[in-house]
Amino acid sequence: MSGEQKQPRKALSAGMRGHGGMLVGLDKPKHFKRTLFRLLNYLKPRMIPIIFVFGTAIFGTVFSVFGPKVMGMVITVLFEGAYETIAGETGAGIDFRKVAQLLLLLGALYVTSSLFQFLQQFTMAKVAQETVYDLREDVFNKLNRLPIKYFDSRPYGETLSRVTNDIDMIATTLQQSITQFITAFITLVGITIMMLVISPVLTLIAVFSIPLSLFVVRPLLKRSHRYFSKQQKTLGTLNGHVEEMYTGNLVVKAFGREAHSISEFERMNDELHRAGRKAQFISGIMMPLMGFISNISYVLISIIGGYFVIQRTITIGDIQAFITYTKQFSQPISQTANIANIIQSTIAAAERVFELLDEEEETTTPRPKTIADVKGHVRFENVSFGYGDGLLMKNVNFEVKSGETVAIVGPTGAGKTTLINLLLRFYDLDGGAIFIDGVNIAEMDRNHLRRLFSVVLQDTWLFRGTIKENIAYGKPDASDEDVYAAAKAAYAHYFIRTLPDQYDTVLNEDVTNISAGQKQLIAIARAMLSDAPILILDEATSSVDTWTEIQIQRAIKKLMQGKTSFVIAHRLSTIRNADLILVMDDGEIVESGTHEQLLAKKGKYYSLYKSQFAYEATS
């Protein structure tokens, strides 16, 4: 919007961006327990399915843990039967019937375990998606209740990240990480019990390898974390550079800065290469080191276990089962550690979402007043307002009678658009009052108030959808004939008819398949169709050519008939016939009157008009 003074939006630094511009490197949560309990409240309505998930996780893991033990029993039967046959001892040799029974039992264990795991994943997926569905509903409804100042003081990317990335992280954690954590914990307990049952001595050897591994890799973890942080930061900077060069491609080419852009990219890419190489190298040698320590423990277990087999204190099948358990023992530990980090990040993401949900909402008016038959009589009475600590406007007073046209002029940043924002109650006043037909707008419901206005902004905004849907946005129940009539009145009908699908042409997300002037014509047609009693035009013809502007001015003149109109204009030649012209400077109305009256005063308006007239004459 032109002339608007507001708090600048905080730009996302390049170092905060990750893949695709998403935020990376979430901080640890500030209030872990409080956020966790609040997140659990979203799970309360689904406690029965969650209990079922816990049950299936327990049974599925228990059946799976018994598998290696039964396999060991099969090996023992085969070994003892083969040994008896080779040694020529009396006996039946290999008891294939018992082997078959054990294999059937083993198959039943794994099938049952898989069935429980399927039920677990299926139920948890349903619980997670329903929970996140409720969370998304709350967030989206919250966004509709937030004041404009919230969006003005924050980057769009940050809010978008909370609505998409953070909620997606919560969904993924609920669906996968929680069930993995339960399974890992039960697996760890079950494996430990089975190992102790087989041999406490061998269990001690297996467990001792874990702190030894941690002792060896701990220094590497610290170094790798430093390099990974640098890699992530450099990646964010590189992505930010690529995003800027891509979106500003025309400007880069126009100023011949391609070589500089490539040079900057190569510098960042080289820095990313060096940081990534070190990070990946240190990370890559961790697993071989841990594997080496694990293999040493396997060797010790095999030697000591072999001795126990010779002494007939342990069967050979139990040794095989024990080695399998040893290999599985470290997996739930690493899973638990990884899940703990994921949960930390998830709680941090949930905290960011809840911060959004806790933001101060637009104030609601108890027992709001309505205006049945709107005349459009507007009065500003001692209005004061500021975006921050200081006041931008002080004691603004003026009155616009029903059906009059008021033009608001002044230099950029004078407060013209701010005046309109206050009229639409995008912001609440710091002092004074605004009246429409004698009713204080602070005592009116915002939706009712805004339905009294048709608005055409300088920064035209169209939505993804057909042209017909965009024109009918303010009046969804409008007939096709009404849409066509509004488009004709706005002189948009001709160019719409030349499009391949005419009124059914779908505008893409960036609305780049039509020109800026055509977008503004559609916005004007949208305002014409809504046909509200008060009209606001914020530089409505700024993006059209001179001939189209003349046509639109004729259409707007018809549109203004019988309506109270507020017109923000930079080209003063377009507002000569206004009933009242307000000249603003530094948030104050320094002059007011008709075109002729203001010229006769030879004040601020006279200077603006003459300087613009001189510029247009020489250009």
Side-chain angles (χ1 to χ4, degrees), residues 209-228 282-283 285-287 289-290 293:
S209 66
I210 295 172
L212 183 61
S213 298
L214 294 175
F215 177 77
V216 171
V217 302
R218 189 175 180 182
L220 296 175
L221 282 171
K222 290 183 178 180
R223 295 191 66 182
S224 68
H225 176 73
R226 184 168 70 250
Y227 287 125
F228 270 116
I282 295 175
S283 176
I285 64 176
M286 287 185 195
M287 289 306 295
L289 280 174
M290 294 181 70
I293 295 170

Side-chain angles (χ1 to χ4, degrees), residues 12 16-24 157 161 165 239-240 243:
L12 277 174
M16 292 175 63
R17 296 189 182 100
H19 295 287
M22 295 189 296
L23 294 180
V24 296
S161 178
N165 299 343
N239 283 340
E243 182 183 352

